[in-house]
Amino acid sequence: MKILMFGRGVIATVYGWALQQAGHDVEFYVRPGRAATYGDAVDLDLIDTRRRVWGQRVVEKWPVRYREALEPDHDFDLIVLSVPHHRLAEATAFLSPRVGQATVLVFGNIWTEPLAAIGALPVDQIAWGFPQAGGGFGADGVLRGALLPSVVFGTLGQPPTDRERAVRQAFREAGLRLKEQPDFRGWLWIHFVSDAGLFSQALRLGSLSKLAGATGDLREGLLAGRELLPLLKARGLDLRRHRGGPLLFRAPTWLTAPALALLTAHVAPVSVNFAAHSDPDAEEPREVCRDALAEARRLGISVPRLEAAEPHFAREGTGRV
């Protein structure tokens, strides 16, 4: 399969590497001028858990190919679109007249209605998924992170199409196990508020990396996520269809917070992921918290912990999201 990774972010790079390992033809679309800045290879330092429970460390210089233009008559079979949720509208506007015959895998957080989030992209050419990898580029340009053994795919209530099955097969060929979510819209929203809860406390500390091993702060993050669950109900989501998703936030924090602290501090695939998120200026955590708080205010849902964290993610000069 000929695959275009949209951008050279962490998720695009990690999965582009895995897909190319499986024999797929992978390129990256980057903004004009970026290819020269990036150079012709990516330095990787990854924990790959696809075949070993505790992971295998991969340190290599991976040669990559970039393109800075995309014409409508391209011959890509798949475009993997993994961008921060607040950049999705811009990305779909760019891709819509250039999608050609490719399937577009929307591969990341969504907080609006999914069909609205894809803009003018043709619905019959969309596949829905969510990565199970993470990390960050360090100041030295090295991508440090972890690739977990599974990846999430879903639909909006209907069986997967032939296009969607072909995308799933490509990820299977890359050695990844598939987790299916038949109500992907609901799963995405639960994941979003989960992120908002933990991000709110990470931003208070300075970055997600500082949350690793911090039992008390993780407890506050879990409680912030719990306070956001009524927001999902107010949006019309039936949480009974997603009993597993909110479980971490509903369980007693005397049990979950120490377990999460242990996991984030000492289990390599998770701790490496947290440690790599050390950028105090990262915008996506702030945007997630801003959008969750704005929706809570719109619907009149009380979220005191997210409110208390607002000074750490409010836009300068406004004090408001």
Side-chain angles (χ1 to χ4, degrees), residues 226-302:
R226 183 184 297 177
E227 290 173 355
L228 283 161
L229 295 181
L231 174 58
L232 297 175
K233 292 182 181 179
R235 285 186 127 203
L237 185 61
D238 184 358
L239 291 176
R240 293 173 299 181
R241 298 185 62 189
H242 300 272
R243 296 185 185 277
L247 185 60
L248 180 64
F249 299 92
R250 286 175 164 167
T253 55
W254 61 262
L255 175 65
T256 53
L260 195 55
L262 182 68
L263 191 68
T264 55
H266 300 294
V267 177
V270 182
S271 62
V272 166
N273 187 2
F274 267 67
H277 285 84
S278 58
D279 181 4
D281 299 318
E283 193 59 24
E284 174 68 351
R286 288 175 168 79
E287 291 288 348
V288 167
C289 291
R290 288 167 187 155
D291 285 353
L293 182 54
E295 185 73 345
R297 285 173 170 160
R298 186 182 74 84
L299 294 174
I301 304 299
S302 175

Side-chain angles (χ1 to χ4, degrees), residues 71 85 90 149 167 185 200 206 256 279 283 302:
E71 301 301 329
H85 82 283
E90 176 188 358
V167 175
R185 167 181 175 268
S200 68
T256 53
D279 181 4
E283 193 59 24
S302 175

Side-chain angles (χ1 to χ4, degrees), residues 113-134:
E113 289 289 343
L115 293 180
I118 62 172
L121 286 173
V123 176
D124 61 353
Q125 290 179 230
I126 298 295
W128 306 96
F130 201 92
Q132 302 281 273

Side-chain angles (χ1 to χ4, degrees), residues 76-92:
F76 288 102
D77 303 298
L78 172 63
I79 299 173
V80 178
L81 178 57
S82 183
V83 296
H85 82 283
H86 63 288
R87 300 290 185 196
L88 188 56
E90 176 188 358
T92 58

Side-chain angles (χ1 to χ4, degrees), residues 45-296:
D45 187 350
L46 303 175
I47 302 295
D48 181 359
T49 67
R50 287 175 295 172
R51 296 174 183 85
R52 298 181 185 177
V53 173
W54 300 111
Q56 177 181 0
R57 188 179 180 192
V58 176
V59 179
E60 68 174 73
K61 187 178 287 288
W62 175 42
V64 295
R65 290 177 294 146
Y66 299 112
R67 61 166 54 220
E68 297 181 343
L70 184 64
E71 301 301 329
D73 60 350
H74 63 77
D75 60 349
F76 288 102
D77 303 298
L78 172 63
I79 299 173
V80 178
L81 178 57
S82 183
V83 296
H85 82 283
H86 63 288
R87 300 290 185 196
L88 188 56
E90 176 188 358
T92 58
F94 174 85
L95 278 178
S96 294
R98 300 172 175 85
V99 66
Q101 299 303 309
T103 300
V104 178
L105 172 61
V106 181
F107 204 46
N109 265 327
I110 295 176
W111 186 227
T112 57
E113 289 289 343
L115 293 180
I118 62 172
L121 286 173
V123 176
D124 61 353
Q125 290 179 230
I126 298 295
W128 306 96
F130 201 92
Q132 302 281 273
F137 285 94
D140 56 2
V142 177
L143 172 53
R144 296 177 177 88
L147 174 63
L148 298 185
S150 61
V151 65
V152 179
F153 282 96
T155 60
L156 304 180
Q158 71 286 339
T161 63
D162 289 344
R163 284 180 177 270
E164 290 173 298
R165 283 191 285 269
V167 175
R168 285 160 168 74
Q169 181 58 30
F171 279 76
R172 282 194 194 94
E173 290 167 0
L176 292 155
R177 298 196 297 269
L178 308 187
K179 292 183 178 179
E180 290 286 346
Q181 296 292 336
D183 177 15
F184 198 53
R185 167 181 175 268
W187 187 91
L188 284 167
W189 288 0
I190 292 169
H191 187 276
F192 194 94
V193 300
S194 301
D195 276 355
L198 293 174
F199 286 163
S200 68
Q201 303 310 305
L203 290 169
R204 184 175 56 80
L205 295 176
S207 70
L208 192 65
S209 63
K210 295 182 179 179
L211 200 58
T215 303
D217 297 298
L218 286 165
R219 177 181 180 274
E220 288 300 302
L222 293 170
L223 291 173
R226 183 184 297 177
E227 290 173 355
L228 283 161
L229 295 181
L231 174 58
L232 297 175
K233 292 182 181 179
R235 285 186 127 203
L237 185 61
D238 184 358
L239 291 176
R240 293 173 299 181
R241 298 185 62 189
H242 300 272
R243 296 185 185 277
L247 185 60
L248 180 64
F249 299 92
R250 286 175 164 167
T253 55
W254 61 262
L255 175 65
T256 53
L260 195 55
L262 182 68
L263 191 68
T264 55
H266 300 294
V267 177
V270 182
S271 62
V272 166
N273 187 2
F274 267 67
H277 285 84
S278 58
D279 181 4
D281 299 318
E283 193 59 24
E284 174 68 351
R286 288 175 168 79
E287 291 288 348
V288 167
C289 291
R290 288 167 187 155
D291 285 353
L293 182 54
E295 185 73 345

